Amino acid sequence: MFLVYEYMERGSLFYALSIDDEARELSWSQRVNILSGTANALSYMHHDCYPPIVHRDVTSSNILLNSELHAVSDFGTARLLDPDSSNQTLQVGTYGYLAPELAYTMRVTEKCDVYSFGVVAMETLMGRHPKELILSLMDSCNNKNMMVKDLLDSRIRIPLCQRDTEAIVEVVKLALASLRSNPKSRPSMQQVAHELSNHKQSSLSLTFSEITVHQSIA
């Protein structure tokens, strides 16, 4: 069996982030748009398909970019989700993106995709996989003094316009919510997609350089 895709000129998001010249071309607004497009695709799979479809391997390598840097997901490991089926124990996915509950439940749900999206969202802003930083981000003792600006990819300039700074703060907020250890407390991809697509500008009470990660945790 073969899967045939349209040729994606810009390769994967992982490739774009791992090559310095490519990463410098990815502006903050483009990175947010890539995440918004990915969230919309996952929301469609989870909420507009019947039965729902769970991707099961949401990673930066599986998000392909066309010539206009629009995101197209690789659906190679997607599976229909049958709530009444017990055949949900085959673990798939990529280490570093897997939801923590899979280690003890081995049950794949939409919230597993939500967690993986949270990892990809942080990776897109940071320019690298967050790895062990995920644990420290979720520890309120460690993140009280961690600044959002210090997490961002240093290969491009710190965002200056208010629209970009507010969008980045929103992405961080949604990413951290998606990375919650309790699957039930994570937002749905529908909620994430809605917030990213309909984000309204609001005046931040602090300057961007003053915003901490702790303040972004809902």
Side-chain angles (χ1 to χ4, degrees), residues 149-208:
K149 68 178 180 63
D150 293 334
L151 296 179
L152 302 184
D153 193 339
S154 61
R155 293 171 293 185
I156 57 178
R157 289 198 314 172
I158 291 291
L160 300 176
C161 74
Q162 184 174 353
R163 181 176 182 179
D164 283 346
T165 57
E166 291 182 343
I168 288 172
V169 171
E170 184 69 20
V171 169
V172 171
K173 177 181 177 181
L174 292 169
L176 295 179
S178 300
L179 290 170
R180 290 170 182 157
S181 57
N182 182 357
K184 294 181 179 179
S185 68
R186 296 171 199 154
S188 68
M189 284 312 309
Q190 190 174 59
Q191 291 171 318
V192 172
H194 176 79
E195 292 296 327
L196 290 178
S197 299
N198 300 282
H199 175 63
K200 296 180 180 178
Q201 283 189 310
S202 60
S203 124
L204 294 171
S205 57
L206 299 171
T207 63
F208 184 67

Side-chain angles (χ1 to χ4, degrees), residues 21-177:
D21 289 341
E22 295 284 335
R24 293 188 187 100
E25 290 187 41
L26 279 180
S27 67
W28 294 118
S29 60
Q30 287 172 326
R31 296 184 190 214
V32 173
N33 286 337
I34 288 170
L35 292 174
S36 180
T38 303
N40 283 326
L42 290 170
S43 176
Y44 176 81
M45 293 170 65
H46 292 180
H47 301 282
D48 296 313
C49 296
Y50 185 80
I53 300 174
V54 179
H55 189 286
R56 306 209 297 179
D57 196 21
V58 179
T59 70
S60 58
S61 296
N62 285 337
I63 297 173
L64 307 180
L65 306 176
N66 64 16
S67 60
E68 297 178 349
L69 293 174
H70 292 160
V72 179
S73 179
D74 175 353
F75 297 103
T77 62
R79 294 291 186 274
L80 298 179
L81 180 64
D82 182 356
D84 299 321
S85 173
S86 60
N87 187 24
Q88 299 184 44
T89 58
L90 178 61
Q91 182 169 335
V92 299
T94 302
Y95 180 77
Y97 297 87
L98 293 173
E101 64 269 18
L102 287 175
Y104 54 88
T105 66
M106 295 295 289
R107 187 173 185 274
V108 178
T109 70
E110 296 102 321
K111 293 304 180 76
C112 296
D113 281 353
V114 174
Y115 182 91
S116 300
F117 174 84
V119 178
V120 170
M122 291 305 302
E123 182 179 1
T124 303
L125 294 184
M126 296 172 63
R128 63 188 187 280
H129 191 284
K131 295 182 180 178
E132 68 279 354
L133 186 58
I134 292 176
L135 295 176
S136 61
L137 285 174
M138 302 310 297
D139 186 337
S140 59
C141 295
N142 291 332
N143 64 43
K144 282 186 177 179
N145 298 318
M146 188 181 296
M147 312 304 294
V148 169
K149 68 178 180 63
D150 293 334
L151 296 179
L152 302 184
D153 193 339
S154 61
R155 293 171 293 185
I156 57 178
R157 289 198 314 172
I158 291 291
L160 300 176
C161 74
Q162 184 174 353
R163 181 176 182 179
D164 283 346
T165 57
E166 291 182 343
I168 288 172
V169 171
E170 184 69 20
V171 169
V172 171
K173 177 181 177 181
L174 292 169
L176 295 179

